[in-house]
Amino acid sequence: MDTALVVITLGSFLAAFVNAAFATGGVYIMLVSTLAVLPVSAAIPMQSPLAAGSLAARIALFWRDIQWRIVVTFVIGCLFGVYFGARAFVAASDSLLQILLGLVLLALIWLPKTGRGWKLKHPFLYVGAVHSFIGTMFGVGGILQSVIIRTDLRKMQITGTLAACMILLDVMKMTSYVSLGFRYQDYLPHIALATLAGFAGAWVGKRVTVHVSETTFRTVFRWLITLVALRLIYSGWTAMPG
């Protein structure tokens, strides 16, 4: 049995469940699962197709709640971020990517939320550019989630709008990775099973009552990602030449 296939499928189900139940957080679970069985140079481009099932399910389940004005503005900003993020990804070595990814994860998890709101006329245009650059280079962004959670949108609106933004960004990211030589056809079984698992996880996540409090979940979740980030930094540092 292909261990990578099993781990990625289970990771996709759990990530989709968490996303549907808590609106965000599954991206880290998917990244951790993929990094456990694939090299970082493959794990990062694979985040987009592996998340497709979960995102598509959430779009279908929360269609009426999607705020399309935010989605369109965000995607326009992504056109710039994806272009430069993909080139930065190609230029970095595996060891450097591990170190930088570990630092990004620590920053996204531990840095305090600052600011009292966005006063820019079209804030999600700039959010799209920054989020997509980081997301294309490291596989996770976190900027969009941090900003949209500060808006007046309800949880259902946040869940649906995030899914619509992310699936369109992922299409652009995949196109960019392919243009730079990444072969998704080598991972078709992983993508197919992850897509099915993503639909199932999202369906269950919306319907099952979550018995663990959100406070407990966030605490455990934060420390899990911290351990993964520290491991990435250590692995990348020890693999550096010289």
Side-chain angles (χ1 to χ4, degrees):
M1 182 178 293
D2 188 342
T3 302
L5 206 59
V6 174
V7 171
I8 289 174
T9 302
L10 292 176
S12 297
F13 177 87
L14 184 57
F17 173 84
V18 169
N19 278 330
F22 296 97
T24 186
V27 61
Y28 299 103
I29 295 174
M30 191 68 260
L31 182 62
V32 168
S33 302
T34 314
L35 285 169
V37 291
L38 295 178
V40 66
S41 56
I44 290 176
M46 284 292 289
Q47 296 310 298
S48 295
L50 293 179
S54 170
L55 292 173
R58 275 183 283 156
I59 290 172
L61 291 169
F62 298 95
W63 179 264
R64 294 182 179 179
D65 300 296
I66 296 174
Q67 305 298 297
W68 289 106
R69 179 176 295 182
I70 291 177
V71 175
V72 172
T73 307
F74 174 81
V75 169
I76 293 173
C78 290
L79 295 173
F80 302 95
V82 168
Y83 177 84
F84 293 105
R87 275 142 188 81
F89 168 78
V90 170
S93 65
D94 270 19
S95 56
L96 180 59
L97 277 173
Q98 285 181 305
I99 294 173
L100 293 177
L101 177 55
L103 292 174
V104 167
L105 287 175
L106 288 176
L108 292 174
I109 291 297
W110 288 104
L111 282 182
K113 296 179 180 180
T114 58
R116 298 182 179 179
W118 292 75
K119 305 300 183 182
L120 300 172
K121 185 176 181 180
H122 300 291
F124 287 97
L125 181 69
Y126 304 98
V127 171
V130 177
H131 180 103
S132 59
F133 176 85
I134 297 174
T136 303
M137 187 172 182
F138 301 112
V140 292
I143 308 300
L144 174 62
Q145 293 89 331
S146 299
V147 174
I148 202 170
I149 205 71
R150 296 190 182 98
T151 65
D152 295 328
L153 299 182
R154 301 186 304 276
K155 182 178 179 180
M156 302 278 277
Q157 292 175 320
I158 290 174
T159 301
T161 303
L162 275 175
C165 287
M166 298 313 298
I167 201 167
L168 292 172
L169 170 58
D170 281 341
V171 170
M172 290 188 283
K173 286 165 60 178
M174 289 177 64
T175 302
S176 186
Y177 290 135
V178 168
S179 71
L180 295 172
F182 189 80
R183 291 172 51 85
Y184 283 106
Q185 57 266 42
D186 295 339
Y187 299 95
L188 289 180
H190 305 75
I191 295 171
L193 287 178
T195 300
L196 294 175
F199 275 103
W203 187 85
V204 174
K206 189 179 180 182
R207 286 161 176 78
V208 173
T209 302
V210 181
H211 298 289
V212 178
S213 70
E214 189 161 345
T215 300
T216 301
F217 169 82
R218 290 182 184 277
T219 300
V220 174
F221 186 79
R222 175 175 286 184
W223 282 106
L224 173 64
I225 300 305
T226 298
L227 292 175
V228 172
L230 292 175
R231 180 181 178 277
L232 282 170
I233 294 171
Y234 174 78
S235 300
W237 182 264
T238 56
M240 291 287 283

